[in-house]
Amino acid sequence: MLIVRPARLDDLDAFIGLAKLAGPGFTSLAVSNADLEARLKKSVKSFKAKVTKPEDLIHLLMLEDSKTGEVVGISAVKSQVGANKPFFSFKSLNIVQSSRAAERHFDMGVLILVNEYSGTSEVGTLFVKSKMRGTGAGRLISQARYMFIAAQPERFSETIISELRGQVDASGYSPFWEALGRKFFKMDFAKADKIAAETDNQFITDLMPKYPIYTELLSDEAQVVIGKAHPDGIGARRFLENEGFRFEHCIDIFDAGPTMVVPRDQIRTVKESQVLEIRIVDALTRPHNGLISNNRIEDFRAVYSKLEFDGKTIMLKPKTVEALGVSNGQNVRVFLQ
């Protein structure tokens, strides 16, 4: 069984290993081992924090194979972004260019540097080992984040965002960066991505152009990738859209990947999941598939499992109950598939 659980301090080696596998352009993992360790320690403290409003917290969730103990995936939920460092995006807009004398009337794309998502919560850092793709692992580690949010909604902002990695190849080449960012930062994509992940982003304030940028001035190759997710992120985008996230024309300032947005209480899993009492049974007569969490924060657990539902309670086998760390008669959160 695959189990989603909070990251622990002894996950450091697994965390570093996942970061190396993620590859170029995965900004949230493009940091030093020391920074990954610091992030892990912050996550452990965040799960223990008793809060009633969004604060600067990060919750790292690990996907563990219960049979082998191997960590095969990761995701994260940040309670508040833009609090201690600016959260920049490019807003992609169309403006009308018109001249009666020249008999011309057309739309022109422009990019404007904005900071409009500061204060929102963010789901991200979604990554699973390649051997797990196609097994449902990615969907589990993704959807579990919304069960976590549903356990204590006030811990998170009323708006949730998710940044998807843009078009960056295995060598670290980004068409958008080469056409725009490199001209202003005078460095390659990997270095800028690393600085952004490890600092307070003051260098973006210092170096990024302050005026609108006409997309027609960029290369055709760069224009094509604006708002497009990395091939490995297409599935993640589909998961987000299924939950109600939408692209509102904000993109990453380095690789032009799309930022997806949704009101917290309109997330499908948050809205449609139910808190129900469990009853342990040895066998299920009419099993259904479901996502189940223990509806807690500090010792959060989530699994996909077979269950039976009678309208008031759900019946679970002992193995599922053990994985969730609950007991007979307690409540769990359920999202029926």
Side-chain angles (χ1 to χ4, degrees), residues 13-82:
D13 288 344
F15 190 22
I16 292 172
L18 289 171
K20 290 180 179 177
L21 289 173
F26 210 114
T27 305
S28 60
L29 295 177
V31 296
S32 68
N33 290 353
D35 284 317
L36 290 174
E37 183 175 12
R39 195 169 299 174
L40 192 60
K41 289 179 178 179
K42 181 176 181 178
S43 175
V44 170
K45 290 180 180 179
S46 295
F47 277 101
K48 295 178 180 179
K50 308 300 181 184
V51 298
T52 57
K53 62 180 182 180
E55 296 184 8
D56 182 25
L57 304 175
I58 181 172
H59 309 87
L60 295 174
L61 296 170
M62 296 298 189
L63 182 63
E64 180 182 296
D65 184 330
S66 63
K67 184 176 181 180
T68 64
E70 180 185 4
V71 174
V72 296
I74 187 173
S75 67
V77 186
K78 296 179 182 178
S79 293
Q80 188 180 60
V81 298

Side-chain angles (χ1 to χ4, degrees), residues 133-209:
R133 291 170 189 165
T135 67
R139 185 179 180 190
L140 172 57
I141 192 65
S142 174
Q143 195 176 12
R145 299 175 299 187
Y146 313 123
M147 297 289 270
F148 181 72
I149 290 171
Q152 192 183 355
E154 65 273 16
R155 197 179 186 92
F156 307 97
S157 168
E158 293 181 359
T159 301
I160 311 292
I161 67 168
S162 184
E163 285 193 300
L164 291 173
R165 179 166 42 159
Q167 299 279 329
V168 182
D169 69 18
S171 68
Y173 175 78
S174 163
F176 186 76
W177 176 260
E178 294 301 319
L180 178 58
R182 183 184 284 277
K183 291 179 171 59
F184 293 93
F185 288 79
K186 306 301 182 183
M187 62 182 73
D188 62 26
F189 175 85
K191 184 173 182 179
D193 205 34
K194 185 175 178 63
I195 294 174
E198 296 179 345
T199 70
D200 63 0
N201 281 348
Q202 180 61 42
F203 84 117
I204 296 175
T205 303
D206 295 337
L207 301 177
M208 185 59 77

